[in-house]
Every structure is written in structure tokens, then in C-alpha cells.
Amino acid sequence: MRALRLVAESADRIHIELDRPAVRNAIDEVMVAELHEVCADLERHPRTLILSGASTPERGVFASGADIGVLLGRGRDEALRGYNARIFSRIAELPMPVIAAVDGYAIGGGAELAYAADIRIASDRAVFGNPEAGLGIIAAAGGTWRLPKLVGAPLARQILLAGRRLTAQEALDAHLVASVHAPDELIDAAHGIADRIATQDPLAVQLTKRVLDAPESAHPLVDDLAQAILFESDAKRARMSAFLDRSATKERS
């Protein structure tokens, strides 16, 4: 049985739903393998990715994390393979932006998946948390280093060391999410962001994402190199010429 559902697909975006509602969209090896398939497609044909979780009107769930029953049986060798860490990094490194639309619980690995997205938005019933230390493990799929960058070290330490959970409003206040919506408006909000991304030059978006993710020591060199590439692009000339034409038309009117 497949763990992902293709909700919508177009020339500029794809919407994938985590679809294991019986186990609160727990992340297992099947889901990881299918996410790798999605990434392979988006690496060949760059588009914006919207990720959401199968929810019901009564209960929202983005992903409840890794399947605890599976984790219980894993040992050192499986940990060193970093199943979730590798797929989450691949998602984070996709050419075009990734939007996580988080409705309900994003816990453990589910939270780490959301952290790997470029943009997170949430429903007003969203909850973020990393309970790994309480289960005798750590948040090893990006939580220990992505979360501090997103919310700051003091709050990240409360979440990772003390098991604190964040409500949607707290996540908004901490800038973990960009906006909060009613559950039935969440996916439309995600598509609204994808619509705005679609109006930008795709190459400029891709290079901006890569520059944003570059280590601090790489700046300003990577900025200059990216700008040099864009300054020679046909899209830059066409878009700037169109801007000047519109400005001239406004001045004459």
C-alpha cells in the first residue's frame, strides 16, 4: 500500500499528501522510498512542492513522526544509515521551494520533515514537538541543527531537551511558521504562496534558494556568482525591459 497520495500536479507545482491516516501518517520505509521518488522527479523537472498530511475535519495530522514500532527494532547499523535524515536533506535541497502545510500534529520526525521545508504554514490546530529524548533517542533527522536556526537556541533547547510543544500561535510567534489559517483554508493558502512563487523567474528562485542555504563563509562570493549568472540570462533582460515599459506607460498616462 502506498504511503503518499498525489493530490494535484501542474507545470509549476506538485501537491503530495502523506497518506497513512491509520497511524497518523507515521513515517516508515515505504514513505521514505516514495519521497525519494518524488525528489528524483523534482530534481529532473524543478517545481514547487507542497507537502501536507491526510487529515479529517475532526483531527488534523501532518505526521506523527517515525513509526515507533519500527524504531524499536532498529539498532546501531540502521541508525548510521540515517533513513530520515537523508530524505529530509534531499527535500531541503530540492531546486525549487518546498511548502509544508501543517494541519494538526507535526511530532518527532514529522516536525523534522516540516523543518526541512523552505516555508511552513499551519492550521490553528497545529502542534509541533520533538519528544525523542523521552523515548531514549535524539532528534537525529535535522532537529538538533535545523530547529535552532529556525527558532533560536533557547527555544530549541526547551523543545529538544524538555519536550516542550508549540501551538500554532507559539510557532507563529517564534517564526517557525509564516502564517496560521483555519484548517479548511490551509491548502488554499499554500497554493497562494505557490502562485506567488510562480510569478518569479524560476532560475532566480533556484539560485536565491541555493544562496540562502550557503554557509556564511561562502558569502559574498556565492552571491556575486549567482548574480553574474542571472545578469546574463534572457529572463533578466525580458523582465527588466517589461518593467521599464510598464513604468513608461504609467508616466505617459
Side-chain angles (χ1 to χ4, degrees), residues 201 203 229-241:
D201 171 44
L203 181 58
I229 293 169
L230 292 168
F231 270 22
E232 297 295 324
S233 72
D234 292 338
K236 171 249 186 179
R237 285 185 283 270
R239 285 171 174 266
M240 288 192 174
S241 295

Side-chain angles (χ1 to χ4, degrees), residues 124-206:
D124 53 20
R125 61 186 179 183
V127 178
F128 294 85
N130 288 97
E132 285 87 349
L135 296 169
I137 57 175
I138 70 169
T144 58
W145 56 277
R146 283 197 180 98
L147 184 59
K149 292 179 181 178
L150 294 170
V151 303
L155 180 55
R157 287 175 184 271
Q158 289 191 50
I159 295 167
L160 296 167
L161 300 177
R164 176 176 172 180
R165 293 186 174 188
L166 298 183
T167 65
Q169 185 60 52
E170 288 171 331
L172 182 64
D173 293 342
H175 306 295
L176 180 60
V177 301
S179 56
V180 174
H181 307 269
D184 60 354
E185 297 174 355
L186 182 63
I187 299 304
D188 285 343
H191 279 289
I193 296 171
D195 288 341
R196 293 194 291 276
I197 293 170
T199 67
Q200 312 300 305
D201 171 44
L203 181 58
V205 170
Q206 291 181 47

Side-chain angles (χ1 to χ4, degrees), residues 12 48 58 110 112 116 119 136 155 157 173 184 194 251:
D12 59 48
T48 295
E58 296 77 26
E112 290 177 297
I119 299 169
L155 180 55
R157 287 175 184 271
D173 293 342
D184 60 354
E251 289 180 359

Side-chain angles (χ1 to χ4, degrees), residues 4 21 24 34-35 37 45 81 93-94 106 111-112 123 130 135 150 171 223 233 235 251:
L4 301 180
R24 298 192 177 189
E34 292 179 14
L35 285 170
E37 293 175 5
H45 309 290
R81 293 189 184 104
E93 293 165 7
L94 285 171
E112 290 177 297
S123 74
N130 288 97
L135 296 169
L150 294 170
D223 305 72
S233 72
E251 289 180 359

